[in-house]
Amino acid sequence: MKVDYTDEGQGPVVVLIHSSVSANQQWRALAEALKDRYRVLAINLFGYGDTTPWPGTSPQSLYAQAQLVLALSEDVTGPVHLVGHSFGGTVALKAAMLLGSRVGSLVLLEPNPFYLLKQNGRTRAFLEVCGLRDHVKCFGALGDWSRVAERFADYWLGDGAWSAMPEKRRAAFTKALPPNFHEWDAVMDEETTIEECKALTARTLVVSDQATRLPIREIVDILAEACPHWSFHSVAKGGHMAPLTHPELVNPVIRDFLDADPA
């Protein structure tokens, strides 16, 4: 078992957890913005970079992904700050529950805990995401990753994103997709409740675009209703991938929230 990560800077520890079909290189700009006063650990989840791939012999769980974060946090003294985007945000949420009082602050960028949709009666949004899950599972099982890539890209990057994507970028995107096949089990089958989210003691910030896809909007709504003591910030553009496409809008919000931590 190998856990691949980068380690930059000195100071309080911030662990960055990337989105699906990405890797820790998505955090280059944020790491650069933080490393003058934080020790920034940017992890690669199962199957990304040199981190061991998920074996596929059993359904993946958020608990298993969160163990990678906990492994990085073992020798850290003082509070750990967690920042996660999309699937990485959902892993960060799970890791925060396992780390408990050791978490100083938690930043969730367009998190995708889809299991909350089913638990909280958001049927339309849940069925929408089930359709995407079924497409990935069906054509991924057949090895038709280019067909998976087209629908996945258009859903998360915006309608028409695939046709506008250069061929080299298409190839890289398609190559990065296989780990996503297993991640659906983690975000759909988790049994953590909104009450457990509400009980988190860490300062928590949720960042989203009001024009993002319906399932994410509904998740943010669920979190806002249950956790009014959390902070919520809306960005004006960028959609689900704003942390990558518009870091100039997102990164200052993250930095300011981390800098305000009393610890």
Side-chain angles (χ1 to χ4, degrees):
M1 178 67 206
K2 181 176 181 180
V3 182
D4 180 30
Y5 63 97
T6 57
D7 187 343
E8 301 178 83
Q10 293 183 334
V13 171
V14 179
V15 180
L16 306 180
I17 311 168
H18 64 82
S19 65
S20 187
V21 198
S22 184
N24 62 0
Q25 73 263 19
Q26 82 166 72
W27 300 116
R28 287 172 184 163
L30 181 58
E32 190 65 30
L34 295 178
K35 69 180 184 180
D36 64 325
R37 54 200 180 283
Y38 296 97
R39 181 184 175 198
V40 183
L41 306 178
I43 194 171
N44 273 319
L45 299 174
F46 284 111
Y48 298 92
D50 291 327
T51 297
T52 304
W54 184 255
T57 52
S58 62
Q60 189 181 108
S61 67
L62 288 177
Y63 179 86
Q65 290 279 16
Q67 291 304 309
L68 303 179
V69 178
L70 267 63
L72 285 193
S73 307
E74 275 184 1
D75 299 325
V76 173
T77 57
V80 177
H81 306 280
L82 303 178
V83 179
H85 172 221
S86 191
F87 179 65
T90 306
V91 174
L93 184 61
K94 183 68 174 181
M97 293 178 183
L98 297 173
L99 287 166
S101 60
R102 293 195 58 207
V103 180
S105 52
L106 173 66
V107 181
L108 307 176
L109 311 172
E110 293 258 328
N112 69 353
F114 296 132
Y115 56 89
L116 291 178
L117 297 173
K118 184 177 181 179
Q119 292 177 13
N120 292 274
R122 308 299 176 106
T123 305
R124 179 170 159 241
F126 185 70
L127 291 177
E128 180 173 308
V129 83
C130 281
L132 182 60
R133 185 268 317 267
D134 293 348
H135 184 87
V136 173
K137 288 288 193 179
C138 175
F139 292 102
L142 295 172
D144 192 352
W145 289 107
S146 61
R147 190 162 180 178
V148 173
E150 180 175 3
R151 180 165 175 180
F152 196 91
D154 283 351
Y155 189 82
W156 292 120
L157 302 178
D159 296 334
W162 182 253
S163 62
M165 195 179 291
E167 194 58 43
K168 186 176 180 180
R169 173 67 180 130
R170 284 187 183 187
F173 190 87
T174 303
K175 185 179 180 180
L177 265 166
N180 180 257
F181 183 91
H182 302 291
E183 291 160 4
W184 283 102
D185 298 325
V187 293
M188 299 295 267
D189 298 339
E190 175 70 21
E191 296 182 353
T192 297
T193 66
I194 191 62
E195 290 302 316
E196 292 172 273
C197 298
K198 187 176 180 179
L200 279 173
T201 58
R203 295 172 60 248
T204 301
L205 168 67
V206 179
V207 180
S208 63
D209 181 348
Q210 290 181 338
T212 192
R213 292 295 187 180
L214 175 66
I216 303 298
R217 296 201 309 270
E218 293 281 5
I219 286 167
V220 172
D221 188 51
I222 291 168
L223 294 173
E225 285 184 8
C227 308
H229 56 295
W230 290 9
S231 299
F232 292 82
H233 180 88
S234 178
V235 293
K237 58 183 177 179
H240 187 65
M241 302 308 292
L244 282 79
T245 61
H246 293 78
E248 73 282 0
L249 297 179
V250 177
N251 289 354
V253 175
I254 299 170
R255 187 177 62 241
D256 290 348
F257 186 76
L258 293 175
D259 286 351
D261 189 275

